[in-house]
Short mmCIF file of all heavy atoms in Angstrom, two decimals:
data_model
loop_
_atom_site.label_atom_id
_atom_site.label_comp_id
_atom_site.label_asym_id
_atom_site.label_seq_id
_atom_site.Cartn_x
_atom_site.Cartn_y
_atom_site.Cartn_z
N GLN A 1 1.70 3.42 4.75
CA GLN A 1 2.52 2.25 4.68
C GLN A 1 1.69 0.99 4.81
O GLN A 1 0.58 1.06 5.21
CB GLN A 1 3.59 2.26 5.73
CG GLN A 1 3.16 2.09 7.15
CD GLN A 1 4.27 2.14 8.20
OE1 GLN A 1 5.23 2.79 7.95
NE2 GLN A 1 4.07 1.47 9.25
N ALA A 2 2.15 -0.05 4.31
CA ALA A 2 1.51 -1.36 4.42
C ALA A 2 2.53 -2.47 4.53
O ALA A 2 3.70 -2.30 4.13
CB ALA A 2 0.61 -1.60 3.15
N ARG A 3 2.09 -3.62 5.14
CA ARG A 3 3.01 -4.72 5.31
C ARG A 3 2.44 -5.87 4.54
O ARG A 3 1.34 -6.28 4.71
CB ARG A 3 3.18 -5.07 6.77
CG ARG A 3 4.20 -6.16 7.09
CD ARG A 3 4.39 -6.31 8.55
NE ARG A 3 5.45 -7.29 8.87
CZ ARG A 3 5.20 -8.49 9.26
NH1 ARG A 3 3.93 -8.92 9.35
NH2 ARG A 3 6.17 -9.37 9.47
N LEU A 4 3.29 -6.54 3.71
CA LEU A 4 2.89 -7.72 3.06
C LEU A 4 3.05 -8.89 3.95
O LEU A 4 4.02 -9.03 4.66
CB LEU A 4 3.78 -7.94 1.82
CG LEU A 4 3.65 -6.86 0.74
CD1 LEU A 4 4.37 -7.32 -0.58
CD2 LEU A 4 2.23 -6.49 0.38
N THR A 5 1.96 -9.78 4.01
CA THR A 5 1.98 -10.91 4.93
C THR A 5 1.68 -12.20 4.17
O THR A 5 1.03 -12.19 3.15
CB THR A 5 0.95 -10.71 6.08
OG1 THR A 5 -0.33 -10.62 5.55
CG2 THR A 5 1.32 -9.52 6.89
N SER A 6 2.11 -13.29 4.67
CA SER A 6 1.88 -14.52 4.02
C SER A 6 0.64 -15.29 4.60
O SER A 6 0.32 -16.36 4.11
CB SER A 6 3.15 -15.46 4.18
OG SER A 6 3.40 -15.76 5.52
N SER A 7 0.06 -14.68 5.63
CA SER A 7 -1.15 -15.32 6.22
C SER A 7 -2.12 -14.25 6.67
O SER A 7 -1.62 -13.21 7.17
CB SER A 7 -0.66 -16.24 7.43
OG SER A 7 -1.82 -16.61 8.19
N PRO A 8 -3.42 -14.44 6.44
CA PRO A 8 -4.33 -13.43 6.92
C PRO A 8 -4.54 -13.35 8.45
O PRO A 8 -5.05 -12.45 8.95
CB PRO A 8 -5.58 -13.83 6.16
CG PRO A 8 -5.46 -15.31 5.97
CD PRO A 8 -3.95 -15.58 5.82
N THR A 9 -4.16 -14.44 9.18
CA THR A 9 -4.28 -14.51 10.60
C THR A 9 -2.98 -14.88 11.23
O THR A 9 -2.08 -15.46 10.58
CB THR A 9 -5.34 -15.58 10.90
OG1 THR A 9 -4.90 -16.86 10.43
CG2 THR A 9 -6.68 -15.23 10.31
N PRO A 10 -2.86 -14.57 12.57
CA PRO A 10 -1.59 -14.95 13.20
C PRO A 10 -1.29 -16.47 13.30
O PRO A 10 -2.29 -17.19 13.36
CB PRO A 10 -1.87 -14.38 14.68
CG PRO A 10 -2.86 -13.39 14.52
CD PRO A 10 -3.78 -13.78 13.31
N LEU A 11 -0.06 -16.79 13.18
CA LEU A 11 0.39 -18.07 13.33
C LEU A 11 1.32 -18.14 14.50
O LEU A 11 2.37 -17.45 14.51
CB LEU A 11 1.11 -18.66 12.05
CG LEU A 11 0.27 -18.62 10.77
CD1 LEU A 11 1.21 -18.92 9.58
CD2 LEU A 11 -0.88 -19.62 10.89
N ASP A 12 1.06 -18.92 15.54
CA ASP A 12 1.85 -18.88 16.73
C ASP A 12 2.08 -17.51 17.29
O ASP A 12 3.17 -17.17 17.76
CB ASP A 12 3.23 -19.56 16.49
CG ASP A 12 3.05 -21.06 16.04
OD1 ASP A 12 2.16 -21.72 16.65
OD2 ASP A 12 3.81 -21.50 15.25
N GLY A 13 1.06 -16.67 17.27
CA GLY A 13 1.16 -15.33 17.85
C GLY A 13 1.81 -14.27 17.01
O GLY A 13 1.93 -13.11 17.40
N ASP A 14 2.11 -14.59 15.75
CA ASP A 14 2.76 -13.62 14.88
C ASP A 14 2.13 -13.79 13.44
O ASP A 14 1.69 -14.79 13.07
CB ASP A 14 4.25 -13.89 14.80
CG ASP A 14 4.98 -12.67 14.12
OD1 ASP A 14 4.49 -11.65 13.94
OD2 ASP A 14 6.17 -13.00 13.73
N VAL A 15 2.16 -12.68 12.69
CA VAL A 15 1.69 -12.72 11.34
C VAL A 15 2.97 -12.68 10.42
O VAL A 15 3.68 -11.63 10.40
CB VAL A 15 0.75 -11.56 10.97
CG1 VAL A 15 0.28 -11.68 9.54
CG2 VAL A 15 -0.53 -11.62 11.82
N PRO A 16 3.38 -13.75 9.83
CA PRO A 16 4.60 -13.82 9.05
C PRO A 16 4.49 -12.86 7.84
O PRO A 16 3.49 -12.72 7.19
CB PRO A 16 4.68 -15.25 8.52
CG PRO A 16 3.67 -15.97 9.30
CD PRO A 16 2.70 -15.05 9.85
N GLY A 17 5.61 -12.11 7.63
CA GLY A 17 5.72 -11.23 6.50
C GLY A 17 6.06 -12.02 5.28
O GLY A 17 6.40 -13.20 5.25
N MET A 18 5.93 -11.33 4.08
CA MET A 18 6.18 -11.96 2.86
C MET A 18 6.81 -10.99 1.83
O MET A 18 6.45 -9.81 1.69
CB MET A 18 4.90 -12.49 2.18
CG MET A 18 5.06 -13.24 0.93
SD MET A 18 3.55 -13.91 0.30
CE MET A 18 2.75 -12.52 -0.34
N ALA A 19 7.89 -11.39 1.19
CA ALA A 19 8.62 -10.50 0.17
C ALA A 19 7.66 -10.36 -1.01
O ALA A 19 6.82 -11.25 -1.31
CB ALA A 19 9.91 -11.15 -0.26
N GLY A 20 7.69 -9.21 -1.67
CA GLY A 20 6.95 -9.02 -2.85
C GLY A 20 7.02 -7.57 -3.28
O GLY A 20 7.85 -6.81 -2.75
N THR A 21 6.25 -7.17 -4.24
CA THR A 21 6.20 -5.80 -4.74
C THR A 21 4.80 -5.25 -4.60
O THR A 21 3.83 -6.00 -4.62
CB THR A 21 6.59 -5.72 -6.22
OG1 THR A 21 5.82 -6.57 -6.98
CG2 THR A 21 8.13 -6.17 -6.40
N GLY A 22 4.72 -3.99 -4.51
CA GLY A 22 3.44 -3.28 -4.42
C GLY A 22 3.51 -1.81 -4.64
O GLY A 22 4.58 -1.26 -4.70
N ARG A 23 2.39 -1.20 -4.84
CA ARG A 23 2.33 0.26 -4.93
C ARG A 23 0.98 0.69 -4.39
O ARG A 23 0.04 -0.05 -4.25
CB ARG A 23 2.50 0.69 -6.30
CG ARG A 23 1.39 0.38 -7.27
CD ARG A 23 1.70 0.91 -8.73
NE ARG A 23 0.68 0.54 -9.60
CZ ARG A 23 0.76 0.80 -10.91
NH1 ARG A 23 1.79 1.41 -11.41
NH2 ARG A 23 -0.27 0.47 -11.74
N PHE A 24 0.96 2.00 -3.99
CA PHE A 24 -0.27 2.56 -3.50
C PHE A 24 -1.01 3.29 -4.55
O PHE A 24 -0.40 4.03 -5.43
CB PHE A 24 0.15 3.58 -2.35
CG PHE A 24 0.77 2.99 -1.18
CD1 PHE A 24 2.16 2.81 -1.10
CD2 PHE A 24 -0.01 2.41 -0.13
CE1 PHE A 24 2.72 2.20 -0.04
CE2 PHE A 24 0.54 1.80 0.94
CZ PHE A 24 1.92 1.73 1.01
N GLU A 25 -2.34 3.11 -4.55
CA GLU A 25 -3.18 3.77 -5.56
C GLU A 25 -4.11 4.72 -4.76
O GLU A 25 -4.71 4.26 -3.78
CB GLU A 25 -4.04 2.73 -6.33
CG GLU A 25 -4.81 3.37 -7.46
CD GLU A 25 -5.50 2.29 -8.30
OE1 GLU A 25 -5.52 1.11 -7.91
OE2 GLU A 25 -5.99 2.71 -9.38
N ILE A 26 -4.13 5.98 -5.25
CA ILE A 26 -4.96 7.03 -4.51
C ILE A 26 -5.97 7.60 -5.45
O ILE A 26 -5.69 7.89 -6.62
CB ILE A 26 -3.99 8.10 -4.00
CG1 ILE A 26 -2.93 7.51 -3.06
CG2 ILE A 26 -4.66 9.19 -3.26
CD1 ILE A 26 -1.66 7.25 -3.86
N SER A 27 -7.17 7.86 -4.95
CA SER A 27 -8.21 8.46 -5.73
C SER A 27 -9.13 9.31 -4.93
O SER A 27 -9.27 9.05 -3.68
CB SER A 27 -9.02 7.37 -6.46
OG SER A 27 -10.05 7.89 -7.27
N THR A 28 -9.84 10.23 -5.52
CA THR A 28 -10.84 11.00 -4.76
C THR A 28 -12.18 10.34 -4.97
O THR A 28 -13.18 10.84 -4.42
CB THR A 28 -10.92 12.46 -5.27
OG1 THR A 28 -11.07 12.48 -6.71
CG2 THR A 28 -9.64 13.20 -5.02
N THR A 29 -12.34 9.28 -5.71
CA THR A 29 -13.56 8.57 -5.93
C THR A 29 -13.36 7.11 -5.52
O THR A 29 -12.28 6.48 -5.72
CB THR A 29 -14.06 8.66 -7.38
OG1 THR A 29 -13.08 8.02 -8.21
CG2 THR A 29 -14.25 10.07 -7.83
N PRO A 30 -14.45 6.49 -4.97
CA PRO A 30 -14.28 5.14 -4.48
C PRO A 30 -14.09 4.06 -5.61
O PRO A 30 -13.65 2.99 -5.36
CB PRO A 30 -15.56 4.82 -3.73
CG PRO A 30 -16.48 5.96 -4.01
CD PRO A 30 -15.66 7.04 -4.51
N ASP A 31 -14.49 4.42 -6.86
CA ASP A 31 -14.27 3.52 -7.95
C ASP A 31 -12.87 3.57 -8.55
O ASP A 31 -12.53 2.87 -9.47
CB ASP A 31 -15.27 3.76 -8.98
CG ASP A 31 -15.31 5.12 -9.68
OD1 ASP A 31 -14.26 5.96 -9.36
OD2 ASP A 31 -16.18 5.47 -10.38
N PHE A 32 -12.03 4.42 -8.00
CA PHE A 32 -10.59 4.61 -8.44
C PHE A 32 -10.45 5.03 -9.93
O PHE A 32 -9.40 4.88 -10.45
CB PHE A 32 -9.82 3.43 -8.13
CG PHE A 32 -9.55 3.28 -6.70
CD1 PHE A 32 -10.44 2.70 -5.81
CD2 PHE A 32 -8.38 3.79 -6.14
CE1 PHE A 32 -10.12 2.60 -4.45
CE2 PHE A 32 -8.09 3.79 -4.77
CZ PHE A 32 -8.97 3.18 -3.96
N LYS A 33 -11.49 5.62 -10.53
CA LYS A 33 -11.33 6.20 -11.83
C LYS A 33 -10.51 7.46 -11.61
O LYS A 33 -10.62 8.18 -10.64
CB LYS A 33 -12.64 6.56 -12.48
CG LYS A 33 -13.42 5.22 -12.87
CD LYS A 33 -14.67 5.49 -13.56
CE LYS A 33 -15.37 4.19 -13.93
NZ LYS A 33 -16.64 4.40 -14.54
N SER A 34 -9.67 7.81 -12.50
CA SER A 34 -8.71 8.99 -12.36
C SER A 34 -7.83 8.87 -11.18
O SER A 34 -7.64 9.83 -10.44
CB SER A 34 -9.56 10.29 -12.33
OG SER A 34 -10.43 10.38 -13.45
N SER A 35 -7.40 7.70 -10.88
CA SER A 35 -6.47 7.53 -9.78
C SER A 35 -5.04 7.89 -10.11
O SER A 35 -4.64 7.94 -11.24
CB SER A 35 -6.56 6.14 -9.24
OG SER A 35 -6.06 5.22 -10.17
N THR A 36 -4.24 8.07 -9.08
CA THR A 36 -2.73 8.22 -9.27
C THR A 36 -2.16 7.14 -8.39
O THR A 36 -2.79 6.51 -7.58
CB THR A 36 -2.26 9.59 -8.68
OG1 THR A 36 -2.61 9.73 -7.36
CG2 THR A 36 -2.89 10.76 -9.57
N HIS A 37 -0.89 6.88 -8.52
CA HIS A 37 -0.24 5.77 -7.84
C HIS A 37 1.23 6.08 -7.64
O HIS A 37 1.82 6.97 -8.28
CB HIS A 37 -0.38 4.47 -8.60
CG HIS A 37 0.16 4.50 -9.98
ND1 HIS A 37 1.48 4.45 -10.33
CD2 HIS A 37 -0.54 4.63 -11.21
CE1 HIS A 37 1.61 4.51 -11.64
NE2 HIS A 37 0.37 4.62 -12.14
N SER A 38 1.77 5.40 -6.58
CA SER A 38 3.15 5.57 -6.28
C SER A 38 3.94 4.66 -7.24
O SER A 38 3.37 3.90 -8.00
CB SER A 38 3.48 5.11 -4.79
OG SER A 38 3.26 3.72 -4.79
N SER A 39 5.28 4.76 -7.20
CA SER A 39 6.12 3.85 -7.98
C SER A 39 6.02 2.52 -7.28
O SER A 39 5.55 2.35 -6.11
CB SER A 39 7.55 4.32 -8.01
OG SER A 39 8.03 4.41 -6.70
N TRP A 40 6.43 1.47 -8.04
CA TRP A 40 6.46 0.09 -7.48
C TRP A 40 7.52 0.03 -6.42
O TRP A 40 8.61 0.60 -6.58
CB TRP A 40 6.74 -0.92 -8.57
CG TRP A 40 5.58 -1.18 -9.44
CD1 TRP A 40 5.31 -0.69 -10.69
CD2 TRP A 40 4.41 -1.97 -9.12
NE1 TRP A 40 4.13 -1.13 -11.12
CE2 TRP A 40 3.54 -1.91 -10.24
CE3 TRP A 40 4.05 -2.80 -8.05
CZ2 TRP A 40 2.35 -2.63 -10.24
CZ3 TRP A 40 2.86 -3.43 -8.07
CH2 TRP A 40 2.03 -3.39 -9.15
N LEU A 41 7.19 -0.58 -5.31
CA LEU A 41 8.10 -0.73 -4.12
C LEU A 41 8.37 -2.21 -3.89
O LEU A 41 7.57 -3.04 -4.27
CB LEU A 41 7.47 -0.07 -2.93
CG LEU A 41 7.00 1.38 -3.15
CD1 LEU A 41 6.00 1.74 -1.99
CD2 LEU A 41 8.14 2.29 -3.07
N THR A 42 9.49 -2.53 -3.23
CA THR A 42 9.85 -3.91 -2.89
C THR A 42 9.80 -4.09 -1.41
O THR A 42 10.37 -3.37 -0.64
CB THR A 42 11.22 -4.25 -3.43
OG1 THR A 42 11.19 -3.98 -4.87
CG2 THR A 42 11.56 -5.64 -3.19
N ALA A 43 9.01 -5.10 -0.96
CA ALA A 43 8.92 -5.42 0.43
C ALA A 43 10.05 -6.52 0.71
O ALA A 43 9.98 -7.59 0.05
CB ALA A 43 7.54 -6.02 0.78
N THR A 44 10.92 -6.26 1.66
CA THR A 44 11.99 -7.19 1.93
C THR A 44 12.12 -7.45 3.44
O THR A 44 11.56 -6.75 4.27
CB THR A 44 13.33 -6.63 1.47
OG1 THR A 44 13.63 -5.43 2.24
CG2 THR A 44 13.37 -6.33 0.07
N LEU A 45 12.75 -8.49 3.75
CA LEU A 45 12.96 -8.87 5.22
C LEU A 45 13.62 -7.75 5.97
O LEU A 45 13.24 -7.46 7.12
CB LEU A 45 13.77 -10.18 5.25
CG LEU A 45 14.24 -10.56 6.67
CD1 LEU A 45 13.07 -10.96 7.56
CD2 LEU A 45 15.19 -11.81 6.61
N GLU A 46 14.58 -7.05 5.31
CA GLU A 46 15.37 -6.00 5.99
C GLU A 46 14.43 -4.87 6.43
O GLU A 46 14.78 -4.15 7.44
CB GLU A 46 16.42 -5.45 5.07
CG GLU A 46 17.54 -6.43 4.73
CD GLU A 46 17.15 -7.53 3.69
OE1 GLU A 46 16.29 -7.28 2.86
OE2 GLU A 46 17.78 -8.59 3.85
N ASN A 47 13.30 -4.66 5.81
CA ASN A 47 12.36 -3.62 6.21
C ASN A 47 11.07 -4.27 6.83
O ASN A 47 9.94 -3.59 6.74
CB ASN A 47 11.99 -2.76 5.01
CG ASN A 47 13.14 -1.89 4.60
OD1 ASN A 47 13.96 -1.39 5.42
ND2 ASN A 47 13.39 -1.74 3.26
N ASP A 48 11.12 -5.47 7.29
CA ASP A 48 9.97 -6.18 7.90
C ASP A 48 8.86 -6.23 6.88
O ASP A 48 7.73 -6.30 7.27
CB ASP A 48 9.58 -5.54 9.22
CG ASP A 48 8.67 -6.43 9.99
OD1 ASP A 48 8.69 -7.65 9.89
OD2 ASP A 48 7.86 -5.90 10.85
N PHE A 49 9.15 -6.36 5.59
CA PHE A 49 8.18 -6.53 4.57
C PHE A 49 7.21 -5.40 4.46
O PHE A 49 6.09 -5.49 4.03
CB PHE A 49 7.43 -7.86 4.71
CG PHE A 49 8.38 -9.04 4.87
CD1 PHE A 49 8.56 -9.63 6.07
CD2 PHE A 49 9.06 -9.49 3.77
CE1 PHE A 49 9.48 -10.69 6.17
CE2 PHE A 49 10.05 -10.57 3.90
CZ PHE A 49 10.15 -11.19 5.16
N ILE A 50 7.68 -4.15 4.86
CA ILE A 50 6.78 -2.98 4.85
C ILE A 50 7.01 -2.19 3.53
O ILE A 50 8.21 -1.93 3.18
CB ILE A 50 7.08 -2.10 6.07
CG1 ILE A 50 6.54 -2.87 7.34
CG2 ILE A 50 6.39 -0.76 5.97
CD1 ILE A 50 6.98 -2.17 8.66
N LEU A 51 5.93 -1.73 2.94
CA LEU A 51 6.00 -0.83 1.75
C LEU A 51 5.63 0.53 2.37
O LEU A 51 4.66 0.68 3.13
CB LEU A 51 4.94 -1.30 0.74
CG LEU A 51 5.04 -2.67 0.14
CD1 LEU A 51 3.85 -2.91 -0.79
CD2 LEU A 51 6.40 -2.81 -0.64
N LYS A 52 6.44 1.55 1.99
CA LYS A 52 6.17 2.83 2.53
C LYS A 52 6.37 3.89 1.44
O LYS A 52 7.37 3.79 0.73
CB LYS A 52 7.10 3.22 3.69
CG LYS A 52 6.83 4.57 4.35
CD LYS A 52 7.85 4.88 5.40
CE LYS A 52 7.50 4.16 6.66
NZ LYS A 52 8.39 4.69 7.81
N ALA A 53 5.37 4.78 1.25
CA ALA A 53 5.52 5.81 0.21
C ALA A 53 5.00 7.14 0.77
O ALA A 53 4.03 7.20 1.48
CB ALA A 53 4.77 5.42 -1.07
N LYS A 54 5.62 8.25 0.37
CA LYS A 54 5.15 9.56 0.70
C LYS A 54 4.38 10.06 -0.52
O LYS A 54 4.88 10.01 -1.67
CB LYS A 54 6.31 10.50 0.94
CG LYS A 54 5.87 11.91 1.33
CD LYS A 54 7.07 12.79 1.62
CE LYS A 54 6.58 14.17 1.90
NZ LYS A 54 7.66 15.13 2.15
N ILE A 55 3.11 10.44 -0.30
CA ILE A 55 2.22 10.94 -1.36
C ILE A 55 2.23 12.46 -1.26
O ILE A 55 1.75 13.10 -0.31
CB ILE A 55 0.88 10.36 -1.29
CG1 ILE A 55 0.84 8.87 -1.07
CG2 ILE A 55 -0.04 10.84 -2.37
CD1 ILE A 55 1.50 8.12 -2.29
N ASP A 56 2.76 13.12 -2.31
CA ASP A 56 2.80 14.58 -2.36
C ASP A 56 1.57 15.09 -3.11
O ASP A 56 0.83 14.36 -3.74
CB ASP A 56 4.00 15.10 -3.02
CG ASP A 56 5.27 14.79 -2.25
OD1 ASP A 56 5.26 14.86 -1.03
OD2 ASP A 56 6.28 14.41 -2.93
N SER A 57 1.35 16.33 -2.98
CA SER A 57 0.28 17.10 -3.72
C SER A 57 -1.13 16.72 -3.42
O SER A 57 -1.95 16.76 -4.30
CB SER A 57 0.53 17.09 -5.30
OG SER A 57 0.33 15.76 -5.72
N LEU A 58 -1.40 16.23 -2.22
CA LEU A 58 -2.77 16.05 -1.76
C LEU A 58 -3.42 17.42 -1.50
O LEU A 58 -2.69 18.30 -0.99
CB LEU A 58 -2.80 15.15 -0.51
CG LEU A 58 -2.28 13.76 -0.66
CD1 LEU A 58 -2.30 13.00 0.69
CD2 LEU A 58 -2.97 12.94 -1.71
N GLN A 59 -4.65 17.56 -1.76
CA GLN A 59 -5.32 18.81 -1.59
C GLN A 59 -6.00 18.81 -0.21
O GLN A 59 -6.58 17.79 0.26
CB GLN A 59 -6.39 18.97 -2.66
CG GLN A 59 -5.85 19.03 -4.06
CD GLN A 59 -4.84 20.07 -4.32
OE1 GLN A 59 -5.15 21.31 -3.91
NE2 GLN A 59 -3.78 19.79 -4.89
N SER A 60 -6.04 19.91 0.41
CA SER A 60 -6.67 20.11 1.74
C SER A 60 -8.24 19.95 1.53
O SER A 60 -8.75 20.20 0.45
CB SER A 60 -6.29 21.35 2.45
OG SER A 60 -6.74 22.42 1.71
N ASP A 61 -8.88 19.59 2.62
CA ASP A 61 -10.40 19.44 2.59
C ASP A 61 -10.88 18.59 1.54
O ASP A 61 -11.88 18.77 0.85
CB ASP A 61 -10.99 20.91 2.47
CG ASP A 61 -12.42 20.93 2.96
OD1 ASP A 61 -12.76 20.12 3.83
OD2 ASP A 61 -13.21 21.71 2.40
N THR A 62 -10.13 17.51 1.25
CA THR A 62 -10.48 16.56 0.22
C THR A 62 -10.40 15.15 0.82
O THR A 62 -9.42 14.77 1.42
CB THR A 62 -9.54 16.65 -1.05
OG1 THR A 62 -9.56 17.96 -1.49
CG2 THR A 62 -9.87 15.70 -2.08
N ALA A 63 -11.48 14.36 0.53
CA ALA A 63 -11.47 13.00 0.98
C ALA A 63 -10.75 12.11 -0.02
O ALA A 63 -10.98 12.23 -1.21
CB ALA A 63 -12.87 12.43 1.24
N TYR A 64 -9.92 11.22 0.45
CA TYR A 64 -9.17 10.31 -0.43
C TYR A 64 -9.42 8.88 -0.14
O TYR A 64 -9.65 8.51 1.04
CB TYR A 64 -7.65 10.57 -0.37
CG TYR A 64 -7.20 11.87 -1.02
CD1 TYR A 64 -7.15 13.05 -0.29
CD2 TYR A 64 -6.89 11.89 -2.38
CE1 TYR A 64 -6.76 14.20 -0.89
CE2 TYR A 64 -6.52 13.09 -2.99
CZ TYR A 64 -6.40 14.24 -2.26
OH TYR A 64 -6.04 15.42 -2.81
N HIS A 65 -9.40 8.03 -1.11
CA HIS A 65 -9.49 6.56 -0.98
C HIS A 65 -8.12 6.00 -1.42
O HIS A 65 -7.54 6.58 -2.34
CB HIS A 65 -10.55 5.98 -1.91
CG HIS A 65 -11.95 6.66 -1.68
ND1 HIS A 65 -12.86 6.06 -0.79
CD2 HIS A 65 -12.49 7.78 -2.15
CE1 HIS A 65 -13.92 6.95 -0.78
NE2 HIS A 65 -13.73 7.88 -1.59
N TYR A 66 -7.68 4.94 -0.72
CA TYR A 66 -6.40 4.38 -1.19
C TYR A 66 -6.51 2.94 -1.00
O TYR A 66 -7.30 2.32 -0.31
CB TYR A 66 -5.27 4.97 -0.28
CG TYR A 66 -5.36 4.58 1.17
CD1 TYR A 66 -4.68 3.45 1.61
CD2 TYR A 66 -6.08 5.30 2.03
CE1 TYR A 66 -4.74 3.15 2.96
CE2 TYR A 66 -6.13 4.94 3.37
CZ TYR A 66 -5.43 3.91 3.81
OH TYR A 66 -5.53 3.51 5.13
N ARG A 67 -5.63 2.26 -1.76
CA ARG A 67 -5.52 0.80 -1.66
C ARG A 67 -4.10 0.38 -2.12
O ARG A 67 -3.39 1.12 -2.74
CB ARG A 67 -6.54 0.05 -2.56
CG ARG A 67 -6.41 0.41 -4.04
CD ARG A 67 -7.61 -0.30 -4.79
NE ARG A 67 -7.58 0.16 -6.18
CZ ARG A 67 -8.58 -0.10 -6.99
NH1 ARG A 67 -9.65 -0.73 -6.59
NH2 ARG A 67 -8.53 0.27 -8.24
N VAL A 68 -3.68 -0.80 -1.69
CA VAL A 68 -2.40 -1.32 -2.09
C VAL A 68 -2.64 -2.34 -3.20
O VAL A 68 -3.48 -3.22 -3.10
CB VAL A 68 -1.74 -2.01 -0.93
CG1 VAL A 68 -0.35 -2.59 -1.34
CG2 VAL A 68 -1.56 -0.98 0.19
N VAL A 69 -1.91 -2.15 -4.30
CA VAL A 69 -1.93 -3.11 -5.38
C VAL A 69 -0.59 -3.90 -5.28
O VAL A 69 0.50 -3.26 -5.23
CB VAL A 69 -1.99 -2.33 -6.76
CG1 VAL A 69 -2.01 -3.28 -7.94
CG2 VAL A 69 -3.20 -1.46 -6.76
N PHE A 70 -0.71 -5.22 -5.21
CA PHE A 70 0.59 -5.91 -5.03
C PHE A 70 0.58 -7.06 -6.08
O PHE A 70 -0.42 -7.48 -6.56
CB PHE A 70 0.75 -6.39 -3.64
CG PHE A 70 -0.38 -7.30 -3.13
CD1 PHE A 70 -0.30 -8.66 -3.25
CD2 PHE A 70 -1.45 -6.73 -2.49
CE1 PHE A 70 -1.31 -9.43 -2.79
CE2 PHE A 70 -2.54 -7.56 -2.03
CZ PHE A 70 -2.46 -8.90 -2.17
N GLY A 71 1.84 -7.59 -6.28
CA GLY A 71 1.97 -8.67 -7.13
C GLY A 71 3.35 -9.15 -7.26
O GLY A 71 4.29 -8.59 -6.74
#
């Protein structure tokens, strides 16, 4: 899971969330060639601007790299 925010640092003790879309990209290589990704998700106030996805079919004893692509 990941949370979209409108500021990289806290403002008045809180980091404000931000509505938007995003998806998770997963790869077994750090350059993300041959990556897979989740479907596009929507971050909304009702879910505290959190994107959450379950990634199936991961292989055991395998290192994975992941990142959030948003826009």
Side-chain angles (χ1 to χ4, degrees):
Q1 73 180 29
R3 183 171 185 262
L4 299 187
T5 60
S6 61
S7 172
T9 58
L11 301 171
D12 297 323
D14 190 18
V15 179
M18 182 174 76
T21 59
R23 68 181 178 184
F24 296 91
E25 188 174 11
I26 302 97
S27 178
T28 55
T29 61
D31 60 9
F32 285 85
K33 292 184 179 178
S34 304
S35 65
T36 60
H37 53 80
S38 70
S39 59
W40 284 100
L41 306 163
T42 302
T44 63
L45 173 63
E46 292 77 26
N47 292 321
D48 195 25
F49 308 106
I50 293 173
L51 303 173
K52 185 186 279 190
K54 181 178 178 183
I55 307 300
D56 293 323
S57 68
L58 298 178
Q59 302 298 312
S60 62
D61 199 30
T62 303
Y64 287 93
H65 304 268
Y66 67 93
R67 60 186 175 191
V68 178
V69 179
F70 59 92

